[in-house]
Amino acid sequence: MRRLLAILLPALLLMTACGGGDTPAAEPTSKSVGDVSKLDSLKVTDNGNDKAPGIEFSKPLAVTGPTVKVVSEGDGETVKMGQIAELVYVAVDGTDGKTLEDGYTKGPQPIELSEQMKSGNELIFDAIIGAKVGSHVAIAAPGSASASAPASSQLVIFKIASAKDAPGLLSKEETDQLDKDGKLPKVTFDDKGAPSVEIPKTDAPAGLSVKVLSEGTGEELKDSDTIDANYTGWRWEDSTKFDSSYDRGEAATFGLNQVIKGWTLGLTGQKVGSKVLLTIPTDLAYGASAAAQGKPAGPLVFVVEITGKK
């Protein structure tokens, strides 16, 4: 998500500083920002979710400030707060229309429409909320001038490929029932403390399952904490191990607000010293296009040992 936002909003800091437009409504709806007349010539021809759209506009495109406009409305359901929207995008040079980056080759990328996303990226949030699935949204931003070259505006077109409710955190009772029914992985540890799992031949849980294997005695974690942890991760579908700090011989350090959502939700509230089994659905892991981005696809399983808190 962070990579996508960086591409969608090359002038994010500028947008935030200048305020961009009208005061947001109490109930956010899809809205345009800036001098949208500069985008009146923009025409977008949809080519599905797997191929970048055709784009035509009067060149050069020159904007003096951030500009956001819904250029074509989709015919799907209205996007709502709390959902996970999947976006595909293409970025072009505003001077000559040449493609700068074709995000369609990576497939749809998920963005959770949360309060956190709203507070950090309000203009994008406001453009997506209230729009319909299938809509194309344009973001134009002035380029950064340098001594050797004039500024060149950049234009990003993103399409809302889908939107669906985010899976939630299962209750302890639901997790215990899954475990009793043999629908959670079985965990064993070797004599060096490294875990292995036996994943059942069933569908992965629909929500995030958190099973405390052993509870520590340290502080409870907040979602803003930075922690040290040992972990191993496997794909549910084929039991492939894709990453392990145990194999590297040292714990990893990371912020709980800088990892996949399943880790943030699953480890918040756990105690330092605990060992935890996380079974994470696709939408709380790397999303449906994970494989195209070189990341582990589908539902994931992690065993995490929280060794410290910064």
Side-chain angles (χ1 to χ4, degrees):
M1 182 179 76
R2 288 186 294 275
R3 169 63 175 161
L4 177 58
L5 291 176
I7 294 297
L8 288 180
L9 205 50
L12 176 60
L13 295 178
L14 174 60
M15 288 188 174
T16 303
C18 72
D22 298 335
T23 301
E27 293 295 332
T29 56
S30 178
K31 64 178 185 179
S32 300
V33 171
D35 186 2
V36 295
S37 64
K38 296 292 182 67
L39 297 176
D40 284 349
S41 68
L42 178 60
K43 306 296 181 186
V44 177
T45 303
D46 184 50
N47 288 320
N49 296 339
D50 300 320
K51 182 180 179 181
I55 300 173
E56 299 179 15
F57 60 92
S58 298
K59 304 175 185 67
L61 172 66
V63 294
T64 58
T67 301
V68 181
K69 181 181 181 180
V70 178
V71 293
S72 68
E73 186 175 52
D75 56 7
E77 295 293 323
T78 300
V79 182
K80 299 179 179 63
M81 175 71 172
Q83 290 187 315
I84 292 177
E86 289 192 321
L87 311 181
V88 281
Y89 67 92
V90 61
V92 302
D93 189 294
T95 300
D96 55 20
K98 290 183 178 178
T99 299
L100 300 174
E101 181 161 355
D102 183 356
Y104 280 74
T105 62
K106 302 178 179 67
Q109 298 187 43
I111 287 184
E112 183 185 5
L113 300 171
S114 63
E115 287 292 345
Q116 182 180 5
M117 189 265 183
K118 178 181 178 181
S119 64
N121 307 278
E122 189 166 5
L123 294 181
I124 289 181
F125 179 91
D126 285 347
I128 297 174
I129 293 293
K132 293 182 178 180
V133 172
S135 296
H136 289 88
V137 181
I139 298 176
S144 300
S146 68
S148 60
S152 180
S153 295
Q154 294 187 21
L155 176 65
V156 177
I157 308 293
F158 72 84
K159 179 183 179 182
I160 305 173
S162 70
K164 52 189 172 182
D165 293 339
L169 175 65
L170 299 180
S171 67
K172 183 179 184 304
E173 291 74 21
E174 290 172 314
T175 293
D176 288 346
Q177 188 62 52
L178 286 170
D179 197 22
K180 181 180 179 181
D181 294 342
K183 295 181 179 181
L184 288 184
K186 302 299 182 184
V187 182
T188 56
F189 295 89
D190 65 19
D191 55 4
K192 295 182 179 179
S196 59
V197 296
E198 181 181 345
I199 298 175
K201 303 298 183 182
T202 62
D203 291 337
L208 170 63
S209 170
V210 181
K211 179 183 177 182
V212 178
L213 302 172
S214 63
E215 186 173 53
T217 58
E219 295 181 62
E220 288 190 1
L221 302 181
K222 302 187 294 293
D223 61 7
S224 58
D225 282 338
T226 296
I227 69 171
D228 295 325
N230 273 310
Y231 67 90
T232 301
W234 302 264
R235 293 185 68 238
W236 178 282
E237 293 172 353
D238 57 13
S239 300
T240 299
K241 180 171 70 172
F242 58 84
D243 192 13
S244 178
S245 68
Y246 290 95
D247 292 348
R248 294 190 292 272
E250 60 180 0
T253 300
F254 51 85
L256 285 182
N257 57 1
Q258 298 175 327
V259 291
I260 58 174
K261 191 67 175 179
W263 274 56
T264 305
L265 289 175
L267 296 182
T268 297
Q270 302 299 331
K271 294 180 179 179
V272 173
S274 294
K275 294 181 181 179
V276 182
L277 170 68
L278 302 176
T279 304
I280 305 176
T282 301
D283 288 336
L284 295 180
Y286 292 104
S289 61
Q293 301 174 54
K295 297 177 180 177
L300 304 179
V301 175
F302 285 94
V303 173
V304 183
E305 179 183 4
I306 306 163
T307 59
K309 181 173 83 73
K310 301 297 188 184

